[in-house]
């Protein structure tokens, strides 16, 4: 991209115009990400809900460029687990990212490639720094859509394979008094 341009971002809904490339992620595309496979299969058969959508502005995937997009993670649960993104490392693992939360309540779950885990609260105005080498997943722990705006290097890319295969070492479930971070019983390290 070598010409300046604007997009119009709705700060409440996260919608961007022009829309660019929209990713719509339904439960059937990430059923293995949730612990309760039976609950996931039931929900897929009933309505296959949209878990989240991402508005991606089209920018070349090149060093020096900046990607920016909004993600909208809907409220809901699969079993005890809140709706969440698939989660990924960046393909170019040395690249960082910034998330600005616009609406809703969330937890940003992160795990470094040497096994450290961190969570950050997401709330309107929270500006979260995801350092290089940390996988990241956004979890909606509230009752309204979680809307976040992200900026990251143009050539960062996405590596979903490690998380699809192993998950994160922690999961976030609904407890009696709100979200609880606990060990992932399926995690093999
Ligand atoms: C991109 C950035 C976000 C996510 C989006 C969906 O680097 O972290 O735009 O892509 O929140 O999550 P995921 O894990 O499905 O890409
Ligand atoms: Zn990312």
């Amino acid at each position: 991209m070598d010409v300046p341009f604007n997009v119009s971002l709705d700060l409440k809904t996260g919608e961007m115009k022009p829309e660019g490339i929209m990713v719509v992620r339904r439960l059937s595309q990430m059923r293995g990400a949730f612990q309760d496979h039976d609950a996931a299969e039931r929900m897929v058969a009933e309505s296959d809900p949209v878990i989240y959508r991402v508005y991606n502005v089209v920018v070349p995937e090149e060093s020096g460029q900046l990607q920016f997009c909004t993600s909208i993670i809907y409220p809901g649960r699969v079993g005890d687990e809140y709706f969440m993104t698939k989660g990924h490392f960046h393909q170019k693992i040395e690249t960082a990212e910034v998330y600005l939360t616009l609406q809703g309540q969330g937890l940003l779950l992160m795990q470094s490639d040497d096994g450290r885990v961190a969570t950050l609260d997401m709330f309107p105005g929270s500006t979260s720094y995801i350092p290089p080498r940390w996988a990241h997943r956004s979890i909606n722990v509230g009752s309204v859509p979680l809307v976040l705006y992200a900026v990251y290097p143009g050539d960062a890319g996405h590596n979903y394979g490690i998380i699809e295969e192993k998950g994160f070492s922690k999961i976030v479930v609904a407890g009696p008094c709100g979200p609880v971070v606990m060990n992932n019983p399926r995690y093999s390290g």
Side-chain angles (χ1 to χ4, degrees):
M1 189 61 58
D2 64 353
V3 185
F5 67 95
N6 258 350
V7 298
S8 173
L9 164 62
D10 184 319
L11 297 175
K12 286 207 170 65
T13 65
E15 283 175 40
M16 294 226 247
K17 286 196 183 122
E19 219 170 69
I21 297 171
M22 154 97 83
V23 174
V24 179
R25 196 77 75 196
R26 290 183 179 273
L27 180 56
S28 56
Q29 297 164 293
M30 56 181 298
R31 61 218 318 166
F34 294 95
Q35 298 288 314
D36 189 337
H37 291 171
D38 291 345
E41 291 308 321
R42 267 197 312 277
M43 290 172 69
V44 167
E46 274 164 23
S47 63
D48 195 11
V50 174
I51 308 293
Y52 59 97
R53 55 182 86 223
V54 183
Y55 291 88
N56 286 293
V57 175
V58 179
V59 172
E61 295 182 357
E62 294 169 0
S63 166
Q65 304 276 357
L66 287 173
Q67 305 289 341
F68 61 106
C69 60
T70 52
S71 305
I72 299 118
I73 302 109
Y74 295 101
R77 278 168 25 195
V78 178
D80 288 338
E81 268 181 299
Y82 299 98
F83 283 9
M84 62 190 184
T85 58
K86 286 179 66 158
H88 60 270
F89 284 95
H90 289 161
Q91 187 68 41
K92 199 168 180 180
I93 197 164
E94 296 293 352
T95 53
E97 182 156 6
V98 171
Y99 279 7
L100 167 62
T101 301
L102 301 174
Q103 298 289 333
Q105 301 295 325
L107 265 190
L108 177 52
L109 174 64
M110 291 163 285
Q111 184 164 327
S112 62
D113 63 343
D114 60 5
R116 288 169 292 155
V117 175
T119 56
L120 289 173
D121 288 330
M122 304 173 79
F123 51 88
S126 68
T127 307
S128 308
Y129 184 69
I130 302 163
R133 313 192 77 91
W134 285 75
H136 37 287
R137 162 178 283 166
S138 307
I139 304 168
N140 186 342
V141 300
S143 54
V144 298
L146 173 66
V147 181
L148 67 96
Y149 175 80
V151 182
Y152 56 102
D155 58 346
H158 296 90
N159 175 354
Y160 291 102
I162 297 168
I163 300 298
E164 273 172 6
E165 192 190 325
K166 296 185 170 178
F168 286 73
S169 64
K170 304 281 182 188
I171 59 173
V172 180
V173 300
C177 307
V180 179
V181 180
M182 52 182 275
N183 288 331
N184 179 351
R186 293 221 180 87
Y187 190 71
S188 52

